[in-house]
Amino acid sequence: MDTIISKDYKEALFASLRSGLKNEKLLLSENIDLEKLLLIAAHQNLFPFVFQSLTSTENFVNTEVYSKYFPQFLASFSIQVRRTEGFLKLYPKFTEKGIYPVVVKGIICRNLYGEFAECRPSGDEDIFVKKTEFSKAAEILEDNGFEGECTNITEKQLETLHHLEFKRKDLMIELHSNLLDYRNELRKKMNSYFSSAVDSGIFVEIKGVKIKTLNHTDHFLYLIFHAFNHFILSGMGIRQMIDILLYFEKYKDEINMEYIKKALDNTNSKYFVSDLIRIGNKYLGFSIEPLAEEKNIEELLNDLLCMGTFGNSTEVHAAAGQMTSAAFSEGNTFLKTLFPTRDWLSRRYPELIEKPYLLPLCWVKRWLRFLKSGNEKEKISESMAVGKRRIALLKKYEVL
């Protein structure tokens, strides 16, 4: 369900974020319920960041809210520290075998946050390898205690597979054969910009460990496309916007902006990016020149706040995402929401690539998962409402 955040709490959230990002003194109105503010931050997966920011105020550490939520903050912070350490110990295991996976988002973006780095949570780390190295990379992960979600991936499946998840008790890795998925022509077009990304990568050092990542132009474009992909699917949150703006602020002199502008024009994403920039300038103190005229920054901002980190925090939002995705293809949007295409479902069920006859079974699995979590009539109604609103927003940004 869409939940509009009031002006006071919107300003309090951004004041807390700006305080940490720009090292500014944090002043909040006495009318702000700090517990409510932290819950709003948690919806954006920014709870640790806002909690840490609040500790800079004079009386926060003496409040009941501090006592109540400090254990949660400490746990979140400690888990992220362990994940970072675990990944930095893991990466050399690849290089010892002659593989240099390209690391994107995650630890690279956290490095932009300075002393707040471990307050920017990452549920996983993303690594991207050549398709010819995918099986060997998967084997290295398994040899180091990770369990893959799927085995026996074929060469044909690798061509359009987005990623596979590998889990260990302390860490999750997303192993990518493609940086973006192939669910429609727009995503295929975005993916094409990274066909030689592994070869053109650069090396950075984080806490003494040498890591390969995308060059700064490619990484900036990827952060944009990754956010845009979530936006047109089921929505995105504030954290992805901050990653983009911080990355540009730090590496703007090394980013080929002419190349970026052409890529954004080619993918209908320039208005979206420009309004993200305007939101960052207005609420977070950035000073970045937008690339196109304004569409509607307040409506976009409300969507970011409503949809949460990746827009799929509930089955309602996930189903609404299917509705927006269906709007990109010809035919009845409602029917395509109920009966997604094989291309759409192959991200969750890669076996569909070579076994299309399993599609009806996958439809049933998807419906059961949706219906298990609550009142189906109410959920369907809510999903349709969210989906219709987001389709209208996508049309304003000239995506549809």
Side-chain angles (χ1 to χ4, degrees), residues 109-295:
C109 287
R110 285 200 304 281
N111 212 35
L112 302 169
Y113 286 72
E115 64 181 283
F116 280 76
E118 307 301 349
C119 293
R120 187 267 188 209
S122 297
D124 53 54
E125 292 293 340
D126 296 77
I127 59 175
F128 175 44
V129 297
K130 294 179 179 179
K131 294 174 179 61
T132 55
E133 297 177 332
F134 192 90
S135 295
K136 188 175 180 180
E139 184 180 325
I140 292 169
L141 287 169
E142 290 167 354
D143 288 345
N144 283 275
F146 289 85
E147 183 176 342
E149 64 174 323
C150 189
T151 57
N152 301 319
I153 297 297
T154 67
E155 289 184 15
K156 185 176 180 180
Q157 290 171 355
L158 280 177
E159 288 303 314
T160 57
L161 180 71
H162 182 211
H163 69 264
L164 288 184
E165 292 180 356
F166 287 80
K167 295 181 180 179
R168 196 172 68 184
K169 187 176 180 181
D170 64 325
L171 186 62
M172 185 166 82
I173 299 294
E174 288 190 354
L175 177 61
H176 289 256
S177 61
N178 293 289
L179 281 178
L180 296 158
D181 65 60
Y182 272 78
R183 278 184 275 188
N184 60 35
E185 291 304 315
L186 176 58
R187 289 182 176 91
K188 291 176 185 177
K189 184 185 291 187
M190 290 192 290
N191 220 6
S192 69
Y193 281 89
F194 307 104
S195 58
S196 60
V198 174
D199 291 329
S200 59
I202 60 174
F203 286 91
V204 297
E205 189 172 298
I206 298 178
K207 296 185 178 180
V209 178
K210 195 174 182 181
I211 289 175
K212 191 174 186 180
T213 186
L214 297 174
N215 68 60
H216 294 310
T217 297
D218 280 349
H219 212 151
F220 182 58
L221 184 62
Y222 172 62
L223 291 177
I224 291 172
F225 280 173
H226 177 253
F228 188 53
N229 189 34
H230 278 287
F231 173 65
I232 61 181
L233 173 58
S234 53
M236 57 165 278
I238 299 299
R239 196 188 70 187
Q240 286 178 274
M241 178 188 76
I242 295 174
D243 288 348
I244 292 169
L245 300 178
L246 284 177
Y247 199 94
F248 180 80
E249 188 175 62
K250 182 168 184 177
Y251 297 115
K252 59 186 175 184
D253 293 337
E254 300 170 68
I255 294 172
N256 182 342
M257 282 308 297
E258 289 306 311
Y259 177 81
I260 296 293
K261 289 175 183 177
K262 289 178 181 177
L264 300 185
D265 276 334
N266 192 36
T267 54
N268 300 328
S269 54
K270 66 178 180 180
Y271 296 112
F272 161 75
V273 175
S274 291
D275 275 5
L276 285 186
I277 289 172
R278 288 186 175 89
I279 291 170
N281 290 347
K282 180 176 179 179
Y283 290 99
L284 291 172
F286 288 91
S287 300
I288 303 172
E289 185 68 27
L291 307 175
E293 62 267 28
E294 180 179 344
K295 290 295 181 180

Side-chain angles (χ1 to χ4, degrees), residues 315 345 348-349 351 358-372:
E315 288 292 339
L345 284 179
R348 179 178 286 271
Y349 307 106
E351 63 270 21
L358 293 177
L359 182 58
L361 178 61
C362 293
W363 284 338
V364 173
K365 288 180 179 178
R366 184 173 176 276
W367 296 334
L368 290 175
R369 192 176 70 252
F370 179 78
L371 296 176
K372 275 181 182 177

